[in-house]
Amino acid sequence: MKDSATRSLLGHARPQRKALIAGAALSALGGVAGLAQPLVAKSFVEALAVDEPVSRQVLLLALLIVGGALTSAFGMYAVERAAESVVLGARRQLISRLPRLRVADLDQRPPGDLISRVTADTTLLREAATNNLVDTLIGSVTLLGMLVLMAWLDVVLFLAVLGVVFAIGACTALVMPRIARASKEAQEALGELGSGLERLLGAIRTVKASGAEQRESTALEGSAHGAWQAGLRAARWGAVAGTSSGLVVQLAFLTVLGLGGARVANGSMSVASLIGFLLYLFYLVGPVAQLASGISGLQVGTAAVRRINEVLELSPEEGEPAGSCGTAAGRAPAAAEADQGAGIVFRDVVFRYREDGRPVLDGAGFEISPGGLTAVVGPSGTGKSTLFALLERFYDIEGGSITVDGRDLRDWNPAELRRNIGYVEQDAPVLAGTLRDNLMLAASGTSPDELRRVLEQVRLTALVDSLPQGLDTEVGHRGAALSGGQRQRIAIARALLRRPRLLLLDEATSQLDALNESELREVVAEIARTTTVLVIAHRLSTVTGARRILVLEDGRVRAAGTHAELLREGGLYARLAATQMLGTTQPEPEPAAD
């Protein structure tokens, strides 16, 4: 797993390898300038000892200092630029993948956690795939160069320093896996905190109305405390790794000072050589700290990469075109297609949301011929909304078959299938943005005349005229500036603009008053002349004019027929009808022609 994460980390860095190599080369050149400085300083001391001019050494030392600083600065910029590009690439991958994932996979992951992976985890990847990678490389090369030059100056002192480096290095190696584990726990804790915040803000009105602010705050504080504890564990082990670099230099300094002083005293080493060696020892702080920081950062980065890969490794929907983003996938069907509704057949369909759960649909079967209005009724929790989710291929069935226009649903490209379907969800979600953005979400190429026609059809013109900026008015987060009925009409208009062959309405009139509901029923009846309309309803007024009514109970269709036929049969439908807003004593409408 670790090797896989490391390969993936390098894979994210690979597209920026030229910039990283250039940055690393410039940084290495700056490091080489630093390596040469103690040698020049040694020459400077030797020249002073014999009373020779030192202007050449001073000038060379100044050039090495200034040149090394400038070169390192350019190298740092190149690496930072590559780092931002790595983050952009990773975020593009995630952003491209997330909308294309299966709904079943998204159901298992809280939105806040997914947001954390796109934001926080990619930021950690930024450091690991660039700065930490370069730091590890440059630190290793510079440290190796310094050790070679130390060996050239004095082998005895070099071996003493090497022993100290290896001893501390072995202890640091034991700490690195703990840093990786603690970092992963810290990121997961942040994901949980993000999920809690998303849960709170997504239902803030319900929380306030329930007087549950303190309870929710307490729960979030618990998540924040968990993230704090995980962060402390990561910081603790990071501090151990960071301290080890300073400890290397301090122990090495004491060793060299004692051993080197003795060698100068017995004449086996010159003072100039000891000064040069001590300068290298002081300069050793930089590459050792750089190497320790780089390796520690790589451990954090591999933990972030694992979390990113968990999303990237999820399979997207079959046949979904990459980069559709409301272009090709959002086009309405041709006029010839729109004149004919879609035929639907369910045969012994079995479906459950969880493998260990009970079936939501257990042998459901029915047939709907093209065109006309079909209503689905039944007690709550019997699988009515699940029928729509399966028709949209949000989930795949466990048994049986579903066909649309005689073609098995699993043979349809999801994007092609959804181009033919208009879907109005029960809660009629509205996205943050303008009213125009929401209406044209699924049909960006809609003409102004077509948009105006649909607005009139769903009785939205009065709303548009009342808004300060008309269609370009911001509707707020989740349509907070709109009423429930307005959101439902917007959702219906959005579906109609696709000119669908199959229109799915999940309790689409539940938040409308009686007058608006009656007007919208007329609109639906008109649409049903050329489009197959399938509506889930709990109001009797919504279904009395349906060509056919399906009665769903315990995951199966228990009865089917017109309103009048089902009332005569009695049973569940008659009991449901007796409790609805319209009583059964009212005149029965004439059955619609098949």
Side-chain angles (χ1 to χ4, degrees), residues 373 375 509 517 521 535-546:
L373 172 63
T509 61
E517 182 195 1
R521 282 204 308 272
V535 57
I536 295 173
H538 293 102
R539 291 181 181 179
L540 191 62
S541 57
T542 307
V543 304
T544 51

Side-chain angles (χ1 to χ4, degrees), residues 325-328 330-332 436-437 439-447 497:
C325 296
T327 53
R331 287 198 298 265
R436 187 190 304 274
D437 292 337
L439 290 168
M440 301 178 68
L441 180 67
S444 57
T446 301
S447 67
L497 284 171

Side-chain angles (χ1 to χ4, degrees), residues 215-551:
R215 190 182 315 122
E216 291 297 314
S217 295
T218 302
L220 281 175
E221 286 173 6
S223 298
H225 190 265
W228 172 76
Q229 286 182 318
L232 279 186
R233 285 193 294 272
R236 188 183 306 126
W237 291 114
V240 171
T243 303
S244 64
S245 61
L247 190 60
V248 167
V249 177
Q250 291 172 5
L251 292 178
F253 174 76
L254 293 175
T255 302
V256 169
L257 190 61
L259 185 59
R263 288 172 60 74
V264 169
N266 63 26
S268 59
M269 184 180 187
S270 68
V271 173
S273 294
L274 179 60
I275 291 174
F277 201 97
L278 286 171
L279 284 175
Y280 272 122
L281 195 58
F282 284 123
Y283 283 4
L284 197 66
V285 174
V288 169
Q290 191 176 27
L291 183 59
S293 174
I295 294 175
S296 176
L298 286 175
Q299 298 300 313
V300 175
T302 53
V305 163
R306 291 189 187 100
R307 284 172 48 81
I308 292 171
N309 284 349
E310 286 176 4
V311 176
L312 295 179
E313 289 170 0
L314 293 174
S315 300
E317 289 181 317
E318 297 175 5
E320 181 75 8
S324 58
C325 296
T327 53
R331 287 198 298 265
E337 295 175 336
D339 290 339
Q340 177 64 47
I344 303 168
V345 178
F346 274 59
R347 288 194 180 93
D348 301 322
V349 172
V350 178
F351 172 76
R352 68 189 81 211
Y353 285 100
R354 291 178 10 188
E355 292 184 2
D356 58 346
R358 67 174 183 83
V360 180
L361 296 178
D362 192 8
F366 58 86
E367 184 172 347
I368 298 175
S369 56
L373 172 63
T374 300
V376 182
V377 301
S380 298
T382 57
K384 299 186 296 296
S385 296
T386 300
L387 296 178
F388 286 9
L390 295 179
L391 282 170
E392 283 275 7
R393 277 207 71 184
F394 293 154
Y395 307 93
D396 289 328
I397 60 177
E398 181 180 326
S401 67
I402 302 174
T403 60
V404 175
D405 287 340
R407 182 176 169 190
D408 192 286
L409 205 64
R410 285 164 289 200
D411 295 333
W412 282 84
N413 179 306
E416 179 190 1
L417 174 69
R418 292 166 191 161
R419 279 199 294 269
N420 292 278
I421 299 177
Y423 181 31
V424 180
E425 299 175 64
Q426 188 171 9
D427 56 353
V430 173
L431 283 67
T434 66
L435 179 57
R436 187 190 304 274
D437 292 337
N438 274 278
L439 290 168
M440 301 178 68
L441 180 67
S444 57
T446 301
S447 67
D449 290 341
E450 176 68 7
L451 179 59
R452 191 177 306 109
R453 183 190 69 79
V454 171
L455 289 175
E456 292 174 354
Q457 194 175 25
V458 299
R459 313 298 192 265
L460 271 175
T461 51
L463 170 65
V464 175
D465 293 340
S466 68
L467 295 174
Q469 294 176 292
L471 288 172
D472 296 314
T473 302
E474 296 283 337
V475 297
H477 178 62
R478 297 188 177 182
L482 303 169
S483 70
Q486 289 169 342
R487 288 196 295 270
Q488 284 191 322
R489 286 200 294 273
I490 290 170
I492 293 170
R494 182 167 57 205
L496 294 181
L497 284 171
R498 299 197 78 171
R499 299 168 63 196
R501 299 177 57 231
L502 172 61
L503 180 61
L504 307 176
L505 303 175
D506 190 348
E507 243 341 91
T509 61
S510 61
Q511 299 189 57
L512 299 180
D513 56 52
L515 178 59
N516 282 312
E517 182 195 1
S518 176
E519 291 177 343
L520 197 58
R521 282 204 308 272
E522 295 174 6
V523 172
V524 172
E526 180 184 346
I527 295 167
R529 294 172 186 167
T530 56
T531 303
T532 302
V533 180
L534 193 57
V535 57
I536 295 173
H538 293 102
R539 291 181 181 179
L540 191 62
S541 57
T542 307
V543 304
T544 51
R547 183 180 69 179
R548 195 171 182 223
I549 302 170
L550 304 176
V551 183

